[in-house]
Amino acid sequence: MTGVTATATAAAGTDASYQAVFDAAVAADERIEPRDWMPEEYRSSLVRQMAQHAHSEIIGMQPEANWITRAPSLRRKAILMAKVQDEAGHGLYLYSAAETLGTGRDELLDKLHSGRQKYSSIFNYPTLTWADVGAIGWLVDGAAITNQVPLCRCSYGPYARAMVRICKEESFHQRQGYELLLALSQGTPDQHAMAQDAVNRWWWPSLMMFGPPDDESAHSAQSMTWKIKRHSNDELRQRFVDIAVGQAEGLGLTLPDPELRWNEERGHHDFGPIDWTEFWEVLKGNGPCNEQRITQRRRAHEEGAWVREAAASYATKHQTQRSRSQSQSQSQSQHANGEATA
Ligand code: 3HC
């Protein structure tokens, strides 16, 4: 919060007046910052969303990392490695942003590993062919951008600022996926068929990434009032479908939905029903790769224990050295002052 509202925060004396200052800041489209007063439900809902987002970024490294060693050229390998590393970075920005709300990364990772927090449903599907790397870039990162660009205007400052850089990188991810699929689509008949098969498998799970329909979305209404979310799940899903149709034409590929057609009256594409039973099953842990993803994540965490320990002991060593040299220079200056006054 800035200016008038910051002053008002200092002057406010009761929860009701704090709440009024918070509400006014959200209404005026100001950013809420870590030290500002905020309702506990706002804080916990943000931690919930940001944690799930961070978990999605790091779990999302797995399906594509599966193809790094089998990329068909050095150029493709370099692009894919850069993309997977970007996802790790996105996780770090988001865990750091969640830390500003008082929830440490250890606690969040513990919740992920014990199944108490979710990650995106999309990463519970397998990457069967090289074309899946293209389909993930085009559709999954494309869906992520559609959902995440509005988060750059999220009312919580650290989350909004983290999203600016993330969206720039996601944009590169989407472009590389499109370009990869275009090369396959324009390649041999087998390559074209492989690209089409990947799009057929990733299309419906990509639509599920936007979350349940609005009338079943537990958090949307409140999150939109708080301006954490700017659009509902269905609005963003529709926006994505409208963009993807033209892009599929450009690729020379089709989308696997016989009911997909332009609706002049609505000014949008109509599309067929989504299998919400599949979505909820994946969320419950019954997707094709849930078990594999979480097992691999826990293993990576355990295998990384020595890095965390080394970093912690390095930090302690330097902290001790700093405190020692501070107290030495203090005693030297006291000594010098004593000599000067003597
Ligand atoms: N996968 C897993 N869980 C999902 C989900 C999905 N696709 N969609 C919704 N859910 C969960 C919600 O988290 C919530 O569970 P909870 O009560 O335990 O928190 C429940 O289903 C009900 O859904 P709501 O619609 O009420 O939840 P939200 O209002 O939070 O909306 C959301 C869901 C649209 C995913 C929103 O949280 C959001 O925009 N999050 C930030 C973006 C994000 O997390 N993206 C992950 C995508 S992957 C990614 O970014 C990596 C990139 O590299 C591709």
Side-chain angles (χ1 to χ4, degrees), residues 48-49 52-54 56-57 60 83 87 90 118-123 140-141 144 147-148 151 159 170 173 208-213 216-220 223 229 233 279-280 283:
R48 175 192 63 81
Q49 176 169 326
Q52 287 182 17
H53 193 167
S56 305
E57 299 283 356
K83 177 181 191 289
E87 308 298 0
H90 297 176
K118 298 187 177 76
Y119 58 88
S120 183
S121 51
I122 194 73
F123 299 120
V140 175
D141 290 277
N147 167 269
Q148 292 172 13
L151 291 175
Y159 191 22
E170 296 292 9
H173 299 170
M208 294 175 196
M209 282 176 72
F210 293 91
E216 289 178 44
S217 166
H219 307 291
S220 280
S223 287
K229 281 167 80 161
N233 299 354
F279 172 77
W280 293 115
L283 258 62

Side-chain angles (χ1 to χ4, degrees), residues 43-56 59 95 98 103-120 283 290 294:
R43 183 187 298 275
S44 59
S45 198
L46 267 172
V47 171
R48 175 192 63 81
Q49 176 169 326
M50 289 159 69
Q52 287 182 17
H53 193 167
H55 300 331
S56 305
I59 294 267
Y95 286 121
T103 312
R105 201 188 310 174
D106 283 357
E107 185 183 335
L108 297 181
L109 285 174
D110 190 46
K111 287 188 172 154
L112 169 67
H113 298 153
S114 57
R116 284 173 291 151
Q117 276 181 346
K118 298 187 177 76
Y119 58 88
S120 183
L283 258 62
N290 294 60
I294 207 70

Side-chain angles (χ1 to χ4, degrees), residues 331-342:
S331 70
Q332 272 165 1
S333 72
Q334 275 165 1
H335 184 68
N337 285 343
E339 276 178 359
T341 48

